[in-house]
Amino acid sequence: MCFHAYTDGTFLKFMQRVLDPLQQTLADGCHLSRETGNDISRAGFSSVELNTAFLSSATFINPHAYGIAYK
């Protein structure tokens, strides 16, 4: 499961950008503000089944992107 950044212009997206350098240090290079779902969708797969999930106890590391990408 990967992080997917909040929508631009929201307070939570701002906080993700502020905390991103710390997250990269603590979580082995993981980015809070990366547009994971969009990147996967534009990668050229023949089909992408992409979903998101929100964890109630993980405010700044929401939403999570998960799914299947077919070659």
Side-chain angles (χ1 to χ4, degrees):
M1 204 177 281
C2 303
F3 302 120
H4 181 74
Y6 278 102
T7 305
D8 284 335
T10 64
F11 174 73
L12 289 172
K13 176 70 175 225
F14 170 77
M15 290 304 299
Q16 283 179 327
R17 286 187 177 135
V18 168
L19 296 172
D20 194 48
L22 178 62
Q23 172 72 8
Q24 289 178 50
T25 301
L26 297 176
D28 197 28
C30 183
H31 292 259
L32 286 175
S33 59
R34 189 173 280 162
E35 299 288 340
T36 306
N38 293 338
D39 293 343
I40 293 169
S41 295
R42 290 189 303 249
F45 292 100
S46 64
S47 177
V48 175
E49 297 174 15
L50 185 64
N51 299 290
T52 57
F54 290 83
L55 304 176
S56 62
S57 61
T59 303
F60 296 116
I61 59 170
N62 273 314
H64 289 71
Y66 67 97
I68 301 170
Y70 298 94
K71 186 175 177 180

